[in-house]
Amino acid sequence: GGGRLGPPPAQRVVLAQTPTPVHPFPVRGLEGVEVWVKRDDMTGADMSGNKVRKLEFLLAEALEQGADSVVTIGGVQSNHCRSTAVAARLLGLHPLVVLRAERPDEDPGLVGNLLQSRCIGAEVLTVSRSQYATEGSPRLVERAGELLRG
């Protein structure tokens, strides 16, 4: 069975530009039904979407714990990794992104989300998809922590 949701976290940093608008969204074939869309793509230029709402709580917790760095894992063009890196920098934290790549020995280059992450100074660690599958997120986060500690 399902449990009840607990109370929301007590700590939160403000990153999103809220409130975001709600717009009617006509859907062909659904006459007589109103559909409205919440525009979370408008929460902020570098951290758009629902990711920024989650980061407000996660990064508040990191700051509360005295962290100086943040580690996140995703695909080489991950929106979440880019958003985390930008938000971390805004809050004075050092971002390290662990990215799954087809060829981790080769630099994935300066394109898209990876370009933005690198421009704001995120440290980048690339791993293969098979390495990610074998080691898993907890071990890769542990390894990233070892890198950060030097």
Side-chain angles (χ1 to χ4, degrees):
R4 291 187 168 203
L5 288 176
Q11 300 298 318
R12 176 180 169 219
V13 293
V14 177
L15 297 168
Q17 297 171 21
T18 58
T20 55
V22 178
H23 295 286
F25 187 76
V27 179
R28 200 177 330 188
L30 290 180
E31 287 73 20
V33 175
E34 286 188 11
V35 176
W36 292 76
V37 176
K38 177 90 168 126
R39 295 293 309 272
D40 266 5
D41 60 314
M42 299 174 74
T43 54
D46 291 327
M47 298 175 290
S48 63
N50 62 354
K51 292 156 193 68
V52 69
R53 295 181 186 274
K54 178 174 77 170
L55 287 170
E56 290 183 325
F57 296 103
L58 293 174
L59 294 178
E61 182 180 357
L63 290 170
E64 187 178 305
Q65 292 176 4
D68 60 6
S69 302
V70 175
V71 176
T72 191
I73 299 176
V76 75
Q77 288 299 332
S78 167
N79 290 328
H80 171 75
C81 287
R82 175 196 31 93
S83 294
T84 301
V86 169
R89 275 291 182 221
L90 286 173
L91 297 171
L93 298 168
H94 175 75
L96 187 151
V97 295
V98 179
L99 302 176
R100 294 182 309 269
E102 290 298 321
R103 296 182 184 98
D105 318 2
E106 297 176 18
D107 189 316
L110 297 173
V111 294
N113 288 329
L114 181 54
L115 171 63
Q116 279 190 297
S117 294
R118 285 184 163 166
C119 282
I120 56 104
E123 196 167 339
V124 177
L125 171 64
T126 54
V127 297
S128 68
R129 293 180 190 281
S130 63
Q131 184 179 8
Y132 175 78
T134 303
E135 292 188 40
S137 293
R139 174 64 188 124
L140 290 171
V141 168
E142 184 180 311
R143 219 171 74 180
E146 291 165 5
L147 279 175
L148 289 168
R149 288 186 286 279

